[in-house]
Amino acid sequence: MNAEPASTEEPSSAVQNLEHHECWAMLRTVSVGRLAIVVDGRPDIFPINYTVDGGTVVFRTGEGTKLSGASGDSPVALEADGVDPSTGMAWSVVLKGTSAVVRGTEEVLDTARLYLFPWQAGHKDAFVRVTPDSVTGRRFKVTDPLTWWTQHSSAAKSSPE
Amino acid sequence: MNAEPASTEEPSSAVQNLEHHECWAMLRTVSVGRLAIVVDGRPDIFPINYTVDGGTVVFRTGEGTKLSGASGDSPVALEADGVDPSTGMAWSVVLKGTSAVVRGTEEVLDTARLYLFPWQAGHKDAFVRVTPDSVTGRRFKVTDPLTWWTQHSSAAKSSPE
């Protein structure tokens, strides 16, 4: 299974790495990301609604979910992305670190003050803070920006005969 | 389906599980997802551009990337989501399974025939197929559908007061 086909160096030329401050700036432009966690050695992934809070990211989740279980300094990876349809430039930022449930009245009060869109209209009462070890980002050209954000028509799926 | 217009106290009632066929139908409506893998026991996550292919999902990636490394029957989780701004109903589908690089001329040719948007304008020549063990999906009301897909203004980030 380790067949190594063609080395196609140079995909990098189309990809720009983002500076650290650019990563944070991009993270602040959207509020929905996806969080990856490891459960029994296998990856799991969830959409989350987050807010940047001073070098960390905070999100809300329902009690008793896997995410509130992803509490005790669990390793996590959070990805957010977006695209500028006018330029066709997309970006993707990945934050790797650990997550912990926000505890203690003061910290919760602080966190509750954050502007957090509930990504789901149910009752949410756990806040989880992700403290990053690393934040990396890339900017790249997408051939069809619309396919990034919008649901595309069936034309996209029909196999070209 | 059992369209239940969300009571705000019961998170469960606000969330509908999708039927298996609905999950696949939703997966076909978009082309961008995020793939979670495990690297050295820690999660990593990448945006991918995928296509549904007969009960599997196929995506392209650059050679030499971590994703083409996520080849030998690695456990993966793929998530895709979307929202209908007119109804405020969002959906999220998670496919868990294993990924393997597509090898062999015939299989590659078959796969290349699939309509795949290159999510990045660089040279891409590895195809990875994700074969699911499980596919689950949920539909839920979002309080502000726009925050799902669009970049929101700075109003969302400015801390109150």
Side-chain angles (χ1 to χ4, degrees), chain A residues 1 3 8 15 28 31 34 44 81 96 113 115 118-121 133 140-143 149 152 157 160, chain B residues 8 15 28-29 31 34 44 81 96 103 113 118-121 123 125 140-143 149 152 156-157 160:
Chain A
M1 71 181 194
T8 339
V15 180
R28 287 175 188 276
S31 63
R34 285 83 189 173
D44 205 346
D81 52 54
K96 290 180 198 169
R113 250 182 255 132
Y115 194 112
W119 67 284
Q120 184 183 310
D133 301 319
F140 49 88
K141 186 93 178 166
V142 286
T143 41
W149 266 176
H152 57 267
K157 297 166 285 155
Chain B
T8 349
V15 179
R28 288 174 188 276
T29 63
S31 63
R34 286 81 188 174
D44 205 345
D81 52 53
K96 290 180 197 166
R103 301 193 190 284
R113 248 181 258 133
W119 66 284
Q120 182 183 310
H123 193 57
D125 46 6
F140 48 89
K141 186 95 177 165
V142 287
T143 41
W149 266 177
H152 57 266
K157 300 164 285 156

Side-chain angles (χ1 to χ4, degrees), chain B residues 34-148:
Chain B
R34 286 81 188 174
L35 190 86
I37 63 176
V38 178
V39 180
D40 297 332
R42 302 178 75 87
D44 205 345
I45 186 171
F46 305 86
I48 57 164
N49 203 245
Y50 71 85
T51 266
V52 171
D53 180 34
T56 69
V57 168
V58 176
F59 66 90
R60 293 170 77 181
T61 185
E63 287 291 349
T65 63
K66 273 186 209 159
L67 283 188
S68 67
S71 51
D73 294 320
S74 312
V76 299
L78 184 153
E79 191 265 356
D81 52 53
V83 70
D84 180 346
S86 63
T87 62
M89 292 305 286
W91 60 273
S92 169
V93 171
V94 174
L95 184 155
K96 290 180 197 166
T98 50
S99 66
V101 168
V102 175
R103 301 193 190 284
T105 315
E106 263 180 68
E107 199 186 355
V108 171
L109 283 177
D110 273 358
T111 307
R113 248 181 258 133
L114 296 169
Y115 194 110
L116 282 172
F117 287 105
W119 66 284
Q120 182 183 310
H123 193 57
K124 298 275 164 180
D125 46 6
F127 289 88
V128 177
R129 185 183 302 275
V130 178
T131 305
D133 300 320
S134 76
V135 183
T136 54
R138 297 177 305 154
R139 185 181 285 120
F140 48 89
K141 186 95 177 165
V142 287
T143 41
D144 188 346
L146 289 180
T147 65
W148 268 81

